Amino acid sequence: MAHTLDVPGAVLHYDVRPAEAGEAPILLMIGSPMDASGFASLAEHFGDRTVVTYDPRGVGRSRRTDDAAESTPEQHGDDLHRLIDALGGGPVDIFASSGGAVNALALVARHPEQVRTLVAHEPPAARLLPDREEALAAVVDIRRTYDREGFGPAMAKFIAVAGHRGPIPAGLANRPGPSPADLGLPTEDDGTRGDPMFGQNLMTCTHYEPDVDALRAAPTRIVVGVGAESEGEMAHRAGLAVAERLGTKAVTFPSHHGGFMSGEFGMQGDPDAFAVTLREVLTEA
C-alpha cells in the first residue's frame, strides 16, 4: 500500500507490505540514493513481517518542495524519524544499504529510541578511512566532473573509485577517468544536473562523520554488514571502520554491495542467501 508523508522541504512516498500481527517490529528497508524499488526482491523474503520501504527526498516519487541543491544525512535522518512516527513511533528494525546506512546512523544518533536493531550494510563513511584525504579528494573530483561534463564521465569515475580495491592512491583525483563509452554510458552532456546521487547526495553522504559517541551510547543494537565479494572496496572498508569505531565486529553478508538485489538497477546479487543472513542477524536481537 502506497502512502505519502509531508516533511519539511519534501513529500515522501512510502510503501507498506503488511503482515499478520506478530511480535516482530516493523522492518524498514532503506537506501540512498536508491529508491524503494531496489528492495523488491529482498522484501519478498520477509512476508511474515510488515516491511516498509520509501523513496528518499528528491528520489523517485518523493519530490522536494524546497530549493535546496543537496540533501544531508541529518535531513534524511529527520525524514526517517518522521516516517517512523507516522508508522506508530517504533521501535522498528532497519536494514539500511549504502547511503541509506549513513542516513540511518544519523537517525540513531538523534533518535535511538525509535530503532531496536540497525543493520548498516556498507555505509560509505569515507571520513573514517585511514586514506580519508585521498578518498574524499576522489569524491570531490567525481562531483566536479559531473558539474563540468555531466552524468556519463562522472559515472565512469564513480564506478572506478567505488570498485577500486585497497586504499585510494594519492593523486587519483588528478588522473583521467575511464571512457564512458567503454562502460556503455552516455558520452554526450545533456545539460541536466539534477541527478539524485551526483547532484544531491554524493558529497554530503561521503563527507558525513558519524557521531560515534552517541551511537555507542545508544540502546539500539547496531550491526555493520559488509559484502563477501566487495572486500577492499571503499564502502566495504568504511563499513569495517564504522564497526571498529563502535567496538563491534562486522558481519559478512553474501555477495557484494548490492547483494540483496536480483537485477534491480542492473545489479545481480544473491538475495536468497542475503535474506538468510539478514534474518539470522535480526533474530539475534
Side-chain angles (χ1 to χ4, degrees), residues 169-206:
L172 179 65
N174 299 320
R175 303 176 190 174
S179 166
D182 290 345
L183 299 174
L185 296 168
T187 57
E188 296 295 325
D189 183 359
D190 65 5
T192 63
R193 293 297 184 269
D195 184 76
M197 179 166 68
F198 296 127
Q200 296 182 41
N201 292 288
L202 179 69
M203 292 289 291
T204 55
C205 175
T206 54

Side-chain angles (χ1 to χ4, degrees), residues 180-283:
D182 290 345
L183 299 174
L185 296 168
T187 57
E188 296 295 325
D189 183 359
D190 65 5
T192 63
R193 293 297 184 269
D195 184 76
M197 179 166 68
F198 296 127
Q200 296 182 41
N201 292 288
L202 179 69
M203 292 289 291
T204 55
C205 175
T206 54
H207 285 65
Y208 174 78
E209 185 163 356
D211 187 340
V212 173
D213 290 340
L215 295 172
R216 289 178 70 108
T220 304
R221 175 173 170 257
I222 303 174
V223 179
V224 178
V226 293
E229 299 174 13
S230 57
E231 184 175 357
E233 295 177 1
M234 183 192 294
H236 182 116
R237 294 190 299 117
L240 296 178
V242 171
E244 182 180 8
R245 295 289 186 93
L246 295 178
T248 63
K249 184 177 181 180
V251 173
T252 300
F253 278 71
S255 196
H256 45 65
H257 188 66
F260 53 91
M261 288 190 272
S262 182
E264 296 94 338
F265 295 94
M267 298 192 74
Q268 183 61 56
D270 188 354
D272 295 347
F274 196 101
V276 170
T277 301
L278 178 57
R279 186 177 290 276
E280 289 174 350
V281 171
L282 294 173
T283 301

Side-chain angles (χ1 to χ4, degrees), residues 27-193:
L27 176 55
L28 179 58
M29 297 180 176
I30 63 174
S32 181
M34 188 177 70
D35 62 23
S37 64
F39 296 101
S41 296
L42 185 61
E44 290 179 357
H45 290 80
F46 290 88
D48 58 324
R49 299 184 59 162
T50 294
V51 174
V52 176
T53 55
Y54 92 121
D55 295 353
R57 63 169 55 217
V59 178
R61 301 162 295 172
S62 294
R63 61 182 179 84
R64 300 189 66 136
T65 57
D66 60 17
D67 57 359
E70 294 183 313
S71 301
T72 67
E74 292 89 350
Q75 282 179 314
H76 288 301
D78 185 67
D79 289 346
L80 291 167
H81 161 61
R82 295 170 187 272
L83 174 57
I84 295 170
D85 270 350
L87 295 170
V92 301
D93 286 343
I94 297 179
F95 170 70
S97 166
S98 193
V102 172
N103 300 339
L105 291 170
L107 164 69
V108 171
R110 293 188 174 186
H111 303 284
E113 74 285 350
Q114 289 191 313
V115 184
R116 183 185 73 156
T117 298
L118 164 61
V119 181
H121 187 255
E122 297 204 345
R127 278 195 178 276
L128 301 187
L129 292 172
D131 51 319
R132 65 182 64 82
E133 292 185 8
E134 293 81 5
L136 292 173
V139 171
V140 170
D141 178 58
I142 293 169
R143 174 57 190 268
R144 288 175 176 168
T145 300
Y146 177 67
D147 290 340
R148 184 176 60 247
E149 302 176 43
F151 178 84
M155 180 56 80
K157 285 190 173 183
F158 175 82
I159 291 171
V161 171
H164 178 82
R165 295 183 184 265
I168 301 299
L172 179 65
N174 299 320
R175 303 176 190 174
S179 166
D182 290 345
L183 299 174
L185 296 168
T187 57
E188 296 295 325
D189 183 359
D190 65 5
T192 63
R193 293 297 184 269

